[in-house]
Amino acid sequence: MRARRYLRAGLTLDQFFDELNARGVRYAVLRWFETLPDVDPGEDVDILVADEDLDVVGTMLVSHLVAPRRQKFDVYTIWGLPGSDYRGIPYLAPALATGILERAVLLRGRYRVPSPLDHFDSMAYHAVYHKGARSGLPEAVGAVPQLAGAAEHDYAAVLAGLAEQSSLSVPATLRDLDAYLAGKGLRPPLDTLDKLGVSNDWLRRHVDEQFGPADAGIPGLAVFVLRERAAHQLDLLRQELLRQGWEPLETVPLHGDAAARVTAGVRGGNWGRGPWPVGGGPPVAYVVAYDLSASVRADTVTGAPPYDLGRVTATKLRIRRRFLDSMPRGERCNPLHSSDQPRQALDYLALLDDPGVLARARERIGKTTAAMVFPYPVVEVIPSGRRRAVTAVVAHPEFGECICKLFYPSARRFLLRELRARTDFAALPEMPALLAAGDNWLLSERYTDTRAHVRRQLPGVRQIQLTTEASSALAGLAGALNEKGAFLLDLSPFNLLSDPRYGLKVLDWEFLQDYPGEIPPVVESPTVVGHAKGLSGVDVPVGVSAQGESAMTVFHPVVSGLPAWALLSWPARLVPAVAEVGMVLGYLYVGLRTVARKTVRGSGKRLRRRVRFLLVRVGERRSAPRGPSR
């Protein structure tokens, strides 16, 4: 359902408003209502409705795929219910919207409209936060409007007239109106301003000026907000943050006045169900967290990329999906919210009225960044997920350019696993050589990847197929690990390289772990099957779960051309020919699947375009003037 709707066929505007009044619907026409029931051609009627009355209004206003030639409406509710929101947030500040409905007056005995003061406030809100420079208003007194003549209405004249009616002395400029609304507590919260700024260039610049840069000088700081229906998932949230490369700094349960402030001041005050079957409920806890990838910064490490502000949203969405996987489809909700960037995180923390939370967060972040120092000059930082460590090419005085992996303080167990792999399994030909190690880093040879292990690229995906020589070597590696009671999760084709001098190497050993109990046959080992189902206390990488979900490992038949049991047990002379046939079949399977998916998506688009075209033609024929009947 969209905010844009159309008057039901056979109903006039006056009949529509008479019906609303007769049913006691709480509503208000927000603006341009002076000439009702006459509406200028092409104009819509913007109407604000109480949340509980939206269904009643929906019986008289309908959505259409193709716009009919009937009066169009944009319908909004106080809390931005689905189909009555503005870009996913309430159209007006809830306090303003509530006041408008409470103080609405009847115009000419039929149309409920805002009181004069509410009319001014809502018009100012619309001009500043929805329109910005497109309103035609100047930024400040004496300034020239940026988009003079582009506005659909003369907002300056309208606002001046409304101000005079309400005995207000507020210059009709963007800055003055924003200050006026802020003084009345009607300016949207910061996270809402940021969302509105996506389509309002002036507002985006103004927010930066008022609140400082988006990273707030603390890149990586975020606040994750757990909602009521997921309150029992608090421990899982902290675990998932660690898994995604974040350090949970502090958990703050929300009670009393703090809960009320957060409910009103975060997410635009909109805690409705949105597009989900059920609502997630109000906020119940903050988890203040730090993105550890931000601990190696461009201003302190040569070649380090600037912090990616999109990481917090990506993390939120991944964790949300993990939560939803455990919910029945009909009971799914939005269980988790987050700040979008550090500036918003500071705003969220300010609502707690407890400066100690931020002070403690700063202290822990400072300790983390102080520990994240490469032991040798950095040549370049290597792109990676940076969930447990940052990897860079460094210049060593003895070894020359080599690879340094610098681990986060909370990832020490992963460092110890890498060190164990390089020592206990150093005899394996696929093991990278360990050159040196420190308290939180290790140094490896810098290899050159010839991709000699790659048989072919699979069509339409990033995945590859391996040569039979590479697959056989990795089968031997899996057996050697299993004999010593160990397994390696995440043995992915993406973690391989082939050096012209040293041959095939497996790069990532952070998930080398011991069996907690009985050692299974190698064909059933997590190294081969790609998951740790049934094993407790096992660290699993992103994309793998203890419930049996796995990423595509080097032993997947599409990658190797053979079932794992055959690769691990058949005589070496049989493997190449049969594996090649299997890889060709796998290649064809992936190719056909890719083509089928593209065809279905393309057919769907073509079908939608065709249906839309036919509906438009039908609409044109119905609206065309008919000739005299014979």
Side-chain angles (χ1 to χ4, degrees):
M1 183 69 74
R2 297 171 294 173
R4 172 58 52 84
R5 308 185 196 191
Y6 297 85
L7 194 62
R8 195 183 67 206
L11 199 64
T12 68
L13 263 180
D14 280 350
Q15 289 171 338
F16 168 73
F17 286 111
D18 287 344
E19 186 67 17
L20 293 185
N21 296 332
R23 295 196 189 187
V25 172
R26 296 173 61 225
Y27 75 93
V29 182
L30 290 174
R31 52 187 169 269
W32 322 128
F33 45 71
E34 292 81 3
T35 61
L36 285 174
D38 295 327
V39 180
D40 289 341
E43 288 288 345
D44 53 6
V45 175
D46 296 304
I47 185 171
L48 176 69
V49 180
D51 291 33
E52 62 271 18
D53 291 325
L54 180 61
D55 289 341
V56 176
V57 173
T59 64
M60 292 176 280
L61 300 178
V62 292
S63 296
H64 287 275
L65 183 63
V66 177
R69 296 194 175 185
R70 298 195 298 274
Q71 180 58 52
K72 56 186 177 182
F73 283 73
D74 281 341
V75 181
Y76 303 105
T77 52
I78 294 174
W79 293 103
L81 296 178
S84 63
D85 59 300
Y86 180 76
R87 303 179 185 274
I89 55 179
Y91 185 69
L92 298 172
L96 175 58
T98 300
I100 288 173
L101 295 185
E102 288 177 350
R103 295 182 290 269
V105 297
L106 273 179
L107 174 67
R108 296 193 295 277
R110 173 170 278 154
Y111 315 106
R112 293 186 65 82
V113 301
S115 68
L117 181 57
D118 287 332
H119 191 188
F120 176 85
D121 290 349
S122 62
M123 186 70 76
Y125 190 103
H126 177 59
V128 173
Y129 303 126
H130 298 156
K131 294 289 187 179
R134 291 178 290 115
S135 67
L137 296 177
E139 181 172 15
V141 175
V144 177
Q146 295 179 7
L147 299 175
E152 299 173 351
H153 301 277
D154 189 348
Y155 284 93
V158 171
L159 284 164
L162 293 173
E164 185 177 354
Q165 288 181 39
S166 299
S167 301
L168 294 174
S169 179
V170 183
T173 72
L174 295 173
R175 284 182 175 272
D176 287 300
L177 292 170
D178 172 58
Y180 164 79
L181 292 168
K184 294 189 69 172
L186 300 179
R187 175 195 270 167
L190 177 58
D191 57 359
T192 303
L193 289 172
D194 282 327
K195 289 184 182 297
L196 293 169
V198 172
S199 58
N200 186 336
D201 290 340
W202 175 83
L203 182 60
R204 184 170 61 251
R205 294 193 303 270
H206 185 61
V207 168
D208 287 344
E209 179 184 306
Q210 290 274 307
F211 297 95
D215 71 5
I218 320 176
L221 179 68
V223 175
F224 292 85
V225 187
L226 196 65
R227 299 178 65 174
E228 186 176 52
R229 283 183 62 86
H232 62 289
Q233 301 276 36
L234 185 57
D235 287 341
L236 179 60
L237 171 57
R238 288 188 287 251
Q239 292 168 16
E240 283 298 314
L241 285 169
L242 281 168
R243 191 164 172 253
Q244 297 286 346
W246 291 72
E247 180 77 18
L249 303 175
E250 186 166 344
T251 299
V252 184
L254 300 174
H255 303 295
D257 292 343
R261 289 192 297 271
V262 170
T263 300
V266 170
R267 213 172 178 265
N270 183 7
W271 299 94
R273 67 180 177 88
W276 305 92
V278 296
V284 295
Y286 276 178
V287 175
V288 186
Y290 178 60
D291 184 355
L292 292 165
S293 74
S295 60
V296 174
R297 295 165 50 175
D299 59 348
T300 58
V301 176
T302 303
Y307 180 66
D308 178 8
L309 292 173
R311 283 177 63 95
V312 62
T313 299
T315 299
K316 173 184 65 179
L317 294 177
R318 284 193 291 266
I319 296 177
R320 184 184 290 169
R321 283 195 293 270
R322 294 277 288 185
F323 282 3
L324 294 177
D325 285 344
S326 64
M327 296 181 182
R329 187 168 296 274
E331 298 177 14
R332 290 183 175 179
C333 64
N334 179 358
L336 183 67
H337 177 64
S338 74
S339 55
D340 289 337
Q341 19 90 334
R343 181 173 65 194
Q344 290 181 15
L346 294 182
D347 188 61
Y348 287 11
L349 294 179
L351 296 170
L352 298 176
D353 197 23
D354 181 0
V357 177
L358 178 58
R360 291 188 293 273
R362 286 184 183 275
E363 182 179 4
R364 290 190 59 181
I365 290 171
K367 290 180 179 179
T368 298
T369 55
M372 292 299 291
V373 178
F374 281 96
Y376 304 102
V378 173
V379 177
E380 63 174 312
V381 175
I382 297 175
S384 67
R386 302 171 78 174
R387 294 187 178 95
R388 295 163 295 278
V390 180
T391 306
V393 178
V394 299
H396 190 276
E398 178 183 351
F399 304 120
E401 289 191 0
C402 48
I403 302 298
C404 183
K405 201 167 187 179
L406 180 66
F407 287 81
Y408 304 134
S410 59
R412 182 163 179 77
R413 67 185 185 279
F414 296 101
L415 166 65
L416 295 177
R417 289 172 187 160
E418 286 269 11
L419 289 173
R420 180 202 172 191
R422 310 299 178 91
T423 52
D424 290 3
F425 296 95
L428 291 175
E430 297 80 22
M431 184 64 65
L434 177 65
L435 301 178
D439 288 341
N440 64 341
W441 56 269
L442 56 82
L443 216 58
S444 301
E445 188 85 31
R446 186 182 188 184
Y447 297 107
T448 300
D449 187 14
T450 65
R451 292 176 62 83
H453 58 284
V454 178
R455 177 67 180 89
R456 61 174 66 85
Q457 179 85 35
L458 288 169
V461 295
R462 292 179 57 237
Q463 195 57 265
I464 60 171
Q465 291 181 323
L466 299 176
T467 63
T468 53
E469 293 82 2
S471 294
S472 296
L474 294 169
L477 179 146
L481 294 178
N482 215 57
E483 285 178 5
K484 290 196 174 184
F487 61 87
L488 176 64
L489 277 174
D490 198 27
L491 184 50
S492 160
F494 300 120
N495 290 337
L496 306 177
L497 64 75
S498 293
D499 184 86
R501 179 180 177 185
Y502 298 102
L504 180 67
K505 297 295 177 183
V506 176
L507 299 180
D508 193 346
W509 290 86
E510 294 173 6
F511 291 93
L512 176 69
Q513 297 166 83
D514 289 322
Y515 290 106
E518 184 179 351
I519 300 174
V522 63
V523 72
E524 299 174 10
S525 71
T527 309
V528 174
V529 299
H531 60 76
K533 184 178 181 180
L535 298 180
S536 60
V538 173
D539 275 326
V540 292
V542 173
V544 179
S545 82
Q547 285 71 47
E549 302 163 4
S550 64
M552 186 178 285
T553 75
V554 297
F555 299 104
H556 194 286
V558 168
V559 175
S560 67
L562 287 173
W565 62 266
L567 186 63
L568 291 161
S569 61
W570 279 6
R573 67 180 184 277
L574 295 179
V575 170
V578 181
E580 181 60 26
V581 173
M583 282 191 283
V584 169
L585 293 175
Y587 182 92
L588 293 173
Y589 165 74
V590 173
L592 290 172
R593 186 180 63 180
T594 301
V595 170
R597 286 177 175 174
K598 289 182 178 179
T599 301
V600 169
R601 285 197 294 265
S603 298
K605 290 180 181 178
R606 287 192 295 271
L607 178 61
R608 287 193 294 273
R609 285 197 297 266
R610 183 63 180 167
V611 169
R612 191 174 292 113
F613 171 77
L614 291 174
L615 289 172
V616 170
R617 291 296 301 273
V618 169
E620 289 174 347
R621 289 186 178 184
R622 286 184 174 179
S623 60
R626 298 178 181 272
S629 59
R630 297 184 179 180

